[in-house]
Amino acid sequence: MKYLLILTALCITIIGHAQTIVNGRVVSTDKTGVSGLSVLVHQKGNANRIISYSITDEKGSFRLEFTAREDSLGVSVRSLTHRDTTVCIANRSQVLNFVLPPTVHEIREVNVNARAITGKKDTITYLVGKFAHVKDQSIGDVIKNMPGFEVSPEGQVSYQGKPIQKYYIEGLDLLEGRYGIANKNLPYRDVGSVEVLENHQPIKMLENRVFSNGTSINLKLKKNITMTGTMQVGAGLPFLLHYLNATPMLFSKNQQTIASVQANNTGEDLSTQNQPLQFTDGQMDAFANRKVNLVGIQGISPPQIDKKYYLNNNAGLMSFNHLIKLNDLNELKIMASFYHDDQKESGEVKNVYHLTGSDYVLNEKIVNHYYNTSLSTGFTLTQNVKQRYLKEQLQVNRFWDQQTGSIENPALLQENAETPGTTGSNTFDMVLPVGNHFFRIYSSLNFNDSPQRLSLRPGVFTGFLNNGADYSETMQQYAMNKFSGKQYLRFTLAHKNWTFDSEPGFNFDTHHYRTVIQKDQSDLAPDSLRNDYQWKNLEFYLTERINFKKENMRFGASLPLRAISYRMDDLVHSSIAPTQRVLFSPMGWFDYDFHKFWSVDGSIIYSSRLGDPMQLAQGYIVKDYHLMQRNSDKLNESQSWSGGLNLEYKNPVVGYFTVASWSRNNNLQSLINSNVYTGDGLFFLDAVRMDNRFISNSFALNNSYVSSNQKISLSLKCQYSDNRYEYLLDQALGWNHNQSWIIQPTIGITGIKNVGIDYNLKFSHTRQWNAQSGNTILGQAHKLELYYYPSPVYWIGVNLAYYNYGPQYQVGNNGLYLNVGYTYKPANSRIEYRLRCNNLFNSKQVVDYQYGDISITENHYNIRPRELVLIVSFSLSRGKK
Amino acid sequence: MKKTHLFSLFFVFLMHNIYAQPPQSIDKTKWLCTYNYEFLQDSSSINSLKNVQMYLQIGSHLSKFTCVNSYLMDSIRYLDSEKARDPNQPTLVGGSFGHIISDYRIYKNYPKNGQILFTTFSDNEFYKLEQQMQMNWKLDLQKDTVIMGYTCHKALIFYAGRDYIAWYSPQIPLSDGPYKFNGLPGLILKISDTMRQHCFTLNSIKKVTYDQSITQLTVSYVDIKAEDYIKIKRNELLSLYRMFQSNMVTVSPLSEEHKARILNGLKTTNNFIEKL
């Protein structure tokens, strides 16, 4: 009696009634009525087309009333306790009884507890496991997959189009801006979730008091993770390739350490793990203190393909970052890193200069080496608690950078640039409470010493520098010495929803620039070929800020008034007498959440600025073998209006994120560079006093969507920008126009029959025109990543890229590049093997186009040859005992 | 966060004696579902969105629907009562009641088949409301979707002042759902009112293989009508408001701003799920 089903059908036909009534009872095999069962009437053969239903009562009785056109219908009984049964009945009122044997049904358990993205007020949490693909290794790989996030090739993380403010690990800011090292090396498997903290105020004391519109992220590690990191060694052919990455990370309640030793010549850029990527107050951190290359050899502008295809490096990085919580109040951070790289680039460059009347064409074959060596050290003491904020930071960086190159045009030219430098900074920042209000003291001191030089062999500008006779070497010496300070006091008064800020401050700068051109190691005497001047600048300012913050509405204004007094003492040329200027740069902004998922923000800024004193060099400086530049004794002054508007829609419930932004910039400046072409392939760039404008508009739309099961992700980026500016060529002023369109759709599919697909298309249309020339460049870049993982122990990845860039109406230059990889990870093993063949087609070059005001450049960049690399990874993850 | 914390401390004082009564087991959980309940605390403010985890324990003949705090508290108290109590051990109290808007226990098919028992606690008193389970759903046969891998169909209902859209799956033949919602030929995986002010979404469904009791408190309840529930809760909010205003509850010294925030929170808690 395995199957016992008795169906009794008593047919009572009621003619003339459209409604059908089916009564009946469901009993178990022991004749007791069964309650709570679903009895469904549906289309015959399609249980999903439900017409009507009933739930059995405690006696097992049910009653179905329905109107249906079909002659015959299906009736199904569904439950978790008795056997599922479907019968076919005629469409007429009748009595239908079921006797069903008890059985146990299982339903598939699910748990999205566990929803991939959850939003709560200003925090959005992304569960890492939900966004990880088989190919992913580091947390940075997974963040890329999360809707709303973007990771630039340099490693900078942006959320909704804006770079993030802080990158916390377990709530601690170990790496400050240099988070690339964690983003790249922290295995995603040890991270539970990524929290997005919107409107995040990093100073705990000012939380809920002073509004911030920055977004920070916090990585929450999985429970009991104390040690993690990356340990990889690899080797490859044909040129004795090596790859080493040992990056252990320790996380405990009171200490965090990330140490790293890395070396490779396989094309992986290590500089991204050693540079600040963070924005604070709208400025790149440490930007003021960055090292500047005053001179340089002529490079080939890098192509728009992934760096791993063309970066011909031999790099090493040692880095140590340690954070220790001394007690509840004090946090100490020490950082030291040493970076060395020898990058080689080679290729051919064809420049076409559109000059009045004719085109000048220049063909060059270039081979360059960039030797970058730097040592960075830092020390930070922080007190960041509810009652107190203090930060003292000391940083010193030393660079030993050198560039060498050879250019064949067809004469051979050797270039050598030495660009060493030392930079240092000390920052002190403190917030004191005064009753209910705050008092902030900030001071930062920076110094920068860069004695640099460029040597060109044989000597160049022979006509200008040596009366037309050949000579063996031109050397441009260029030394810069800067010391600057910025200090302010900020008094914050908070009252209800308003905060008022008063910030008196003073900045000072002293710069010293010395340049001289040497011909065969002897200084050239003419004043027009050298510079020696000092710049002194003292600025007092007062900034008033008003901010209003309500739950869904924030707005504010900032009114900085600056009194600047500067002077320039030029030992060679005319000096600038002490000058006083008053500059006003007001700014207003708002941010309004007008719906649960919608928000709009905007800003408008008027700014008046003084130019860089570096541009006061009145004597010529050799920029490269065919360009000499000099400026005037007038400081460039600019006034600009700029405004922007962003409309955002963020729906973490359905995983849809979009932001539409528009911005406009209208800039008027007092100096313009005049291009003078001498006819023998040499250019002179002179700064001329003449008001000129720069006007730009841009519109961007970013959409991203991830389906609720994370199997499909879609994104679409559209960008339109146009700008026009005035330029001066051979004494004639003209407008240069640029217009560009970029459309970039991306599709990601995972989890369909063990296959993962990522496809990205970037289509660009850029147009430039002015009185001399007009160019339109069309570009398309297709990137396809395919992953096949038939079993959990291995997977195969194919990475195909196709590029086509070229001027319109010409056959574009195609490039097809293929990488293939195989990864094997034995079950329950801590070791993973990765075998990769890069550039399987052994493509030689990638062709790219660029244009300037009066030129178009065609670059043929040599890429890495076909290579085979094997990398072995060891897991360093350890949990608490 | 702080607000709830203070709320709970306040309740702890009142709870102490009442909960000395041990709860009784009325069924065993066979299926445990969790729902994410999102609601606007203040119907006029889109920023008052709150989020509570709700538990639906489905037994062999009845089910119980509570917020996570009550769920945990009931089970702890039940386990505590099962043990022979050591008089030296402190009575188990504590835990938060959760948000006032989701502070109830709903039993379906209890005390009788076809009935809903709705209980709540307010101001030192237990209240109960017995209702019929009957719900008049309108099936939308045109629409279906897939939620968490289950094929779901759409059904509509007007209930207690709001229009709701429900998605249920006949593949899970449990005629149950969040809140009082039931009576569809399959579990409700998602239900939301058309204004999206109250939204329940299934988070997980799990078969319970261990012994987990569905419990009910053995206390005496005051019978109320559906309309009375909102009155009772409003009064509770009002008395809390007055207490905070007059500094009667000073668990810790409150800053003026903090106090204002609590008072504002109490004042703007108005969006009960039933609009009667």
Side-chain angles (χ1 to χ4, degrees):
Chain A
M1 300 297 265
K2 218 163 149 197
Y3 299 105
L4 182 69
L5 163 69
I6 302 168
L7 164 66
T8 317
L10 279 170
C11 313
I12 305 154
T13 318
I14 304 159
I15 300 159
H17 276 254
Q19 198 178 46
T20 315
I21 298 170
V22 177
N23 286 313
R25 201 171 162 234
V26 183
V27 293
S28 192
T29 34
D30 59 3
K31 304 285 186 277
T32 52
V34 190
S35 68
L37 272 60
S38 306
V39 185
L40 309 166
V41 190
H42 51 80
Q43 275 182 2
K44 209 167 100 182
N46 185 358
N48 277 334
R49 307 298 297 172
I50 300 168
I51 295 163
S52 179
Y53 72 95
S54 174
I55 309 289
T56 58
D57 62 16
E58 69 261 50
K59 294 187 189 108
S61 308
F62 66 89
R63 179 184 171 83
L64 297 162
E65 287 178 33
F66 55 93
T67 315
R69 265 189 235 132
E70 288 89 342
D71 294 336
S72 59
L73 296 158
V75 173
S76 296
V77 184
R78 297 267 178 271
S79 70
L80 292 177
T81 51
H82 289 76
R83 217 182 75 180
D84 284 356
T85 307
T86 302
V87 295
C88 182
I89 61 159
N91 184 5
R92 55 177 184 251
S93 296
Q94 52 193 287
V95 173
L96 196 58
N97 289 327
F98 294 89
V99 179
L100 301 179
T103 176
V104 177
H105 284 281
E106 292 306 330
I107 54 175
R108 189 169 46 83
E109 291 188 9
V110 281
N111 190 6
V112 276
N113 186 14
R115 223 164 62 195
I117 313 170
T118 44
K120 212 172 181 186
K121 280 207 160 171
D122 280 345
T123 306
I124 298 176
T125 307
Y126 290 74
L127 288 185
V128 171
K130 295 276 171 180
F131 294 95
H133 300 166
V134 177
K135 59 175 177 157
D136 295 337
Q137 296 192 328
S138 70
I139 185 65
D141 295 338
V142 181
I143 288 177
K144 256 184 225 174
N145 305 332
M146 297 174 175
F149 275 102
E150 223 179 300
V151 181
S152 76
E154 291 74 43
Q156 190 180 46
V157 179
S158 301
Y159 182 71
Q160 290 288 74
K162 285 182 206 153
I164 57 159
Q165 177 186 228
K166 293 273 176 189
Y167 187 102
Y168 295 109
I169 300 172
E170 288 284 309
L172 296 175
D173 188 16
L174 166 65
L175 296 163
E176 304 230 315
R178 298 170 315 105
Y179 57 76
I181 199 161
N183 211 35
K184 202 114 194 203
N185 295 306
L186 179 57
Y188 79 82
R189 285 192 175 84
D190 293 339
V191 184
S193 61
V194 175
E195 291 177 336
V196 175
L197 317 167
E198 290 189 283
N199 302 326
H200 174 71
Q201 171 57 264
I203 301 176
K204 291 205 174 92
M205 216 174 140
L206 306 180
E207 253 174 28
N208 298 324
R209 293 304 200 70
V210 178
F211 173 73
S212 151
N213 62 357
T215 300
S216 302
I217 65 170
N218 179 31
L219 307 187
K220 294 205 86 163
L221 299 179
K222 284 187 181 157
K223 266 182 214 160
N224 69 39
I225 288 294
T226 52
M227 183 176 169
T228 174
T230 306
M231 176 72 210
Q232 296 174 332
V233 285
L237 293 168
F239 303 113
L240 291 176
L241 299 172
H242 65 266
Y243 184 93
L244 168 74
N245 181 352
T247 308
M249 306 181 183
L250 288 163
F251 300 103
S252 72
K253 208 175 148 230
N254 293 318
Q255 286 194 55
Q256 292 192 346
T257 307
I258 297 182
S260 185
V261 177
Q262 298 184 52
N264 77 78
N265 59 355
T266 57
E268 190 166 316
D269 190 8
L270 297 182
S271 68
T272 58
Q273 297 181 37
N274 192 40
Q275 64 194 15
L277 300 162
Q278 174 179 297
F279 270 80
T280 28
D281 294 333
Q283 253 204 342
M284 197 71 144
D285 228 24
F287 183 78
N289 193 33
R290 78 200 194 283
K291 184 212 157 206
V292 193
N293 280 352
L294 304 164
V295 294
I297 60 168
Q298 190 175 334
I300 316 172
S301 39
Q304 301 184 37
I305 61 171
D306 283 354
K307 215 169 189 175
K308 62 183 181 210
Y309 285 111
Y310 65 83
L311 183 73
N312 198 339
N313 67 338
N314 188 354
L317 173 71
M318 273 190 280
S319 170
F320 179 77
N321 305 275
H322 187 75
L323 180 149
I324 178 161
K325 277 179 120 169
L326 300 172
N327 47 41
D328 285 345
L329 189 63
N330 291 295
E331 222 175 79
L332 181 70
K333 276 182 271 192
I334 47 173
M335 175 288 266
S337 77
F338 178 77
Y339 167 70
H340 173 77
D341 199 0
D342 168 9
Q343 294 182 4
K344 187 183 162 193
E345 72 177 7
S346 61
E348 289 108 55
V349 177
K350 180 185 172 191
N351 292 291
V352 180
Y353 294 90
H354 306 288
L355 305 165
T356 333
S358 69
D359 278 4
Y360 168 61
V361 182
L362 183 65
N363 285 302
E364 297 167 322
K365 249 180 128 165
I366 299 178
V367 179
N368 290 333
H369 275 275
Y370 298 88
Y371 305 96
N372 295 321
T373 306
S374 64
L375 177 69
S376 313
T377 52
F379 158 92
T380 312
L381 180 75
T382 327
Q383 299 181 342
N384 189 3
V385 290
K386 270 266 170 258
Q387 302 78 25
R388 238 182 133 107
Y389 177 77
L390 183 136
K391 184 174 176 179
E392 160 59 42
Q393 187 167 50
L394 184 70
Q395 286 182 319
V396 180
N397 308 304
R398 172 83 189 135
F399 301 86
W400 299 268
D401 296 347
Q402 200 187 348
Q403 311 170 353
T404 64
S406 69
I407 301 178
E408 240 184 283
N409 75 339
L412 190 71
L413 180 85
Q414 298 290 343
E415 295 178 296
N416 182 35
E418 284 168 40
T419 59
T422 308
T423 66
S425 71
N426 182 68
T427 312
F428 175 83
D429 192 0
M430 186 161 92
V431 182
L432 294 170
V434 179
N436 239 347
H437 312 301
F438 306 100
F439 202 50
R440 185 170 186 175
I441 305 166
Y442 178 91
S443 159
S444 104
L445 298 172
N446 295 295
F447 81 91
N448 189 334
D449 180 37
S450 305
Q452 304 188 354
R453 57 192 186 171
L454 170 69
S455 138
L456 302 164
R457 282 163 182 274
V460 293
F461 285 89
T462 47
F464 192 68
L465 300 177
N466 200 29
N467 301 318
D470 288 344
Y471 65 105
S472 63
E473 186 189 20
T474 311
M475 171 89 82
Q476 173 69 61
Q477 300 273 5
Y478 197 153
M480 178 182 74
N481 206 305
K482 279 208 285 199
F483 182 64
S484 62
K486 185 177 161 72
Q487 27 276 312
Y488 63 77
L489 293 172
R490 188 186 290 170
F491 183 66
T492 305
L493 204 139
H495 181 69
K496 286 189 177 162
N497 295 325
W498 296 88
T499 50
F500 301 92
D501 259 3
S502 249
E503 180 185 312
F506 98 95
N507 301 336
F508 68 87
D509 294 273
T510 59
H511 299 189
H512 189 181
Y513 300 91
R514 269 169 305 154
T515 80
V516 67
I517 300 174
Q518 290 175 323
K519 186 181 77 181
D520 296 338
Q521 278 148 31
S522 60
D523 289 5
L524 286 170
D527 288 350
S528 64
L529 300 176
R530 61 194 192 97
N531 291 290
D532 189 351
Y533 65 96
Q534 282 198 6
W535 164 264
K536 287 199 173 80
N537 179 59
L538 192 62
E539 174 181 335
F540 289 92
Y541 71 90
L542 177 69
T543 302
E544 292 295 321
R545 290 189 197 89
I546 306 170
N547 288 324
F548 174 85
K549 183 193 170 190
K550 232 181 131 173
E551 259 186 87
N552 56 342
M553 172 78 174
R554 294 164 287 270
F555 58 83
S558 135
L559 309 164
L561 191 66
R562 302 157 65 200
I564 299 170
S565 120
Y566 62 85
R567 61 185 287 178
M568 182 189 97
D569 297 311
D570 200 319
L571 300 177
V572 183
H573 307 277
S574 59
S575 298
I576 299 177
T579 311
Q580 275 82 38
R581 299 299 310 274
V582 174
L583 301 177
F584 183 53
S585 307
M587 184 260 212
W589 61 272
F590 76 96
D591 185 349
Y592 177 46
D593 305 334
F594 59 94
H595 179 266
K596 197 162 90 177
F597 301 132
W598 286 94
S599 69
V600 60
D601 65 271
S603 63
I604 184 158
I605 303 162
Y606 172 79
S607 94
S608 47
R609 278 191 303 265
L610 292 177
D612 189 340
M614 205 162 119
Q615 288 160 355
L616 287 170
Q618 296 169 66
Y620 276 113
I621 294 166
V622 177
K623 286 286 174 186
D624 59 48
Y625 76 94
H626 56 81
L627 177 68
M628 283 177 83
Q629 184 174 8
R630 74 170 169 192
N631 299 292
S632 80
D633 63 344
K634 299 287 183 297
L635 199 59
N636 188 21
E637 290 183 29
S638 66
Q639 283 92 41
S640 70
W641 277 103
S642 57
L645 211 55
N646 293 309
L647 181 67
E648 271 184 54
Y649 175 81
K650 275 190 301 244
N651 187 339
V653 181
V654 297
Y656 183 68
F657 294 74
T658 186
V659 52
S661 36
W662 169 80
S663 69
R664 185 179 166 84
N665 187 2
N666 201 334
N667 190 55
L668 176 73
Q669 52 182 14
S670 62
L671 292 185
I672 189 164
N673 280 324
S674 160
N675 285 293
V676 180
Y677 175 59
T678 58
D680 49 1
L682 304 178
F683 289 87
F684 290 85
L685 210 55
D686 285 350
V688 177
R689 196 173 167 79
M690 188 184 281
D691 281 355
N692 63 98
R693 294 182 166 278
F694 173 85
I695 296 163
S696 73
N697 275 301
S698 72
F699 182 79
L701 183 69
N702 287 344
N703 293 287
S704 56
Y705 167 78
V706 171
S707 66
S708 59
N709 56 9
Q710 277 71 50
K711 287 196 172 162
I712 296 173
S713 64
L714 302 169
S715 85
L716 178 67
K717 285 202 271 184
C718 305
Q719 242 175 305
Y720 167 80
S721 67
D722 70 68
N723 64 58
R724 60 202 161 98
Y725 57 88
E726 285 172 299
Y727 73 105
L728 199 58
L729 175 69
D730 295 339
Q731 313 299 325
L733 200 62
W735 279 97
N736 188 57
H737 299 255
N738 290 304
Q739 197 184 53
S740 84
W741 278 98
I742 296 172
I743 295 171
Q744 202 172 350
T746 305
I747 301 172
I749 299 168
T750 52
I752 298 176
K753 299 241 174 203
N754 309 328
V755 175
I757 304 167
D758 270 312
Y759 171 73
N760 175 286
L761 165 69
K762 183 175 175 185
F763 177 77
S764 61
H765 177 278
T766 43
R767 189 170 159 235
Q768 171 263 346
W769 71 100
N770 56 35
Q772 272 73 32
S773 65
N775 296 303
T776 299
I777 296 171
L778 293 177
Q780 43 179 314
H782 300 256
K783 269 192 264 179
L784 177 69
E785 292 183 17
L786 266 173
Y787 295 91
Y788 176 58
Y789 38 98
S791 95
V793 297
Y794 72 94
W795 56 273
I796 298 161
V798 175
N799 200 320
L800 187 70
Y802 170 78
Y803 296 90
N804 185 324
Y805 280 90
Q808 204 175 12
Y809 312 121
Q810 279 185 27
V811 182
N813 288 279
N814 295 320
L816 189 63
Y817 312 95
L818 177 69
N819 293 350
V820 181
Y822 172 82
T823 304
Y824 173 66
K825 186 175 191 287
N828 303 323
S829 165
R830 301 181 78 93
I831 303 175
E832 186 183 277
Y833 305 89
R834 272 187 291 153
L835 184 66
R836 222 167 54 198
C837 178
N838 297 333
N839 195 3
L840 193 69
F841 296 145
N842 206 12
S843 304
K844 301 282 187 242
Q845 285 188 327
V846 55
V847 183
D848 211 345
Y849 290 83
Q850 252 123 26
Y851 51 73
D853 319 353
I854 56 158
S855 65
I856 178 159
T857 307
E858 184 181 318
N859 295 310
H860 293 254
Y861 202 107
N862 292 343
I863 62 166
R864 296 179 70 92
R866 176 165 51 218
E867 288 165 348
L868 196 66
V869 185
L870 174 73
I871 294 174
V872 184
S873 308
F874 307 89
S875 163
L876 293 178
S877 304
R878 294 280 189 286
K880 256 179 218 144
K881 290 271 153 22
Chain B
M1 274 318 222
K2 278 244 169 80
K3 195 165 59 193
T4 16
H5 192 62
L6 277 168
F7 266 132
S8 46
L9 276 170
F10 170 69
F11 279 114
V12 168
F13 298 136
L14 304 173
M15 269 164 29
H16 193 274
N17 298 322
I18 298 148
Y19 279 134
Q21 310 279 356
Q24 67 175 96
S25 170
I26 50 176
D27 199 351
K28 298 283 178 205
T29 312
K30 291 175 83 177
W31 296 93
L32 182 64
C33 308
T34 59
Y35 287 87
N36 187 35
Y37 178 23
E38 281 182 307
F39 57 90
L40 297 185
Q41 174 181 304
D42 174 4
S43 60
S44 66
S45 165
I46 51 154
N47 289 302
S48 67
L49 187 71
K50 294 283 177 289
N51 195 315
V52 180
Q53 181 95 341
M54 305 297 285
Y55 277 74
L56 176 66
Q57 293 167 276
I58 302 175
S60 50
H61 57 271
L62 61 88
S63 74
K64 178 182 176 186
F65 184 72
T66 53
C67 71
V68 57
N69 297 352
S70 308
Y71 166 79
L72 294 172
M73 211 147 59
D74 286 359
S75 50
I76 292 168
R77 218 174 276 126
Y78 179 70
L79 292 174
D80 195 50
S81 70
E82 273 189 326
K83 285 181 266 169
R85 190 186 300 284
D86 173 357
N88 297 323
Q89 287 280 311
T91 315
L92 194 84
V93 290
S96 164
F97 262 54
H99 198 280
I100 201 156
I101 283 190
S102 61
D103 177 24
Y104 44 66
R105 292 172 173 79
I106 294 170
Y107 298 87
K108 296 193 195 92
N109 282 320
Y110 186 77
K112 284 191 207 120
N113 212 336
Q115 282 187 333
I116 292 180
L117 174 69
F118 179 96
T119 72
T120 190
F121 170 77
S122 176
D123 223 358
N124 245 341
E125 199 73 66
F126 285 92
Y127 298 93
K128 80 172 200 286
L129 163 68
E130 279 172 25
Q131 289 169 301
Q132 290 306 307
M133 273 170 63
Q134 193 62 42
M135 289 204 148
N136 294 317
W137 293 96
K138 218 180 115 205
L139 303 187
D140 183 338
L141 305 174
Q142 303 307 315
K143 292 277 167 57
D144 56 14
T145 186
V146 176
I147 299 175
M148 293 181 8
Y150 285 107
T151 307
C152 291
H153 298 282
K154 189 176 174 179
L156 305 165
I157 199 166
F158 178 79
Y159 183 79
R162 296 180 201 266
D163 278 308
Y164 288 91
I165 298 169
W167 294 94
Y168 66 95
S169 176
Q171 291 169 344
I172 310 176
L174 295 166
S175 180
D176 215 319
Y179 196 61
K180 297 178 187 171
F181 299 107
N182 76 92
L184 282 167
L187 186 72
I188 298 170
L189 270 64
K190 189 177 170 121
I191 183 163
S192 164
D193 68 312
T194 48
M195 306 295 287
R196 293 193 63 86
Q197 293 192 353
H198 292 269
C199 179
F200 297 92
T201 315
L202 186 73
N203 258 352
S204 68
I205 175 161
K206 232 175 23 194
K207 191 178 168 77
V208 178
T209 46
Y210 54 93
D211 185 5
Q212 190 199 55
S213 287
I214 301 179
T215 63
Q216 207 222 341
L217 296 169
T218 47
V219 290
S220 58
Y221 290 97
V222 178
D223 273 304
I224 53 167
K225 290 199 204 85
E227 312 71 295
D228 297 337
Y229 169 69
I230 298 165
K231 275 185 220 156
I232 290 164
K233 287 287 163 186
R234 289 236 166 89
N235 282 333
E236 185 183 327
L237 284 166
L238 196 69
S239 66
L240 272 174
Y241 185 84
R242 289 201 185 114
M243 283 168 125
F244 271 105
Q245 213 176 23
S246 58
N247 285 331
M248 276 168 69
V249 215
T250 44
V251 183
S252 60
L254 288 174
S255 74
E256 276 307 301
E257 194 207 349
H258 194 171
K259 192 175 138 188
R261 250 191 293 153
I262 293 175
L263 290 176
N264 190 47
L266 291 170
K267 211 162 71 182
T268 55
T269 303
N270 56 32
N271 195 20
F272 290 96
I273 185 165
E274 298 199 5
K275 287 208 289 193
L276 295 168

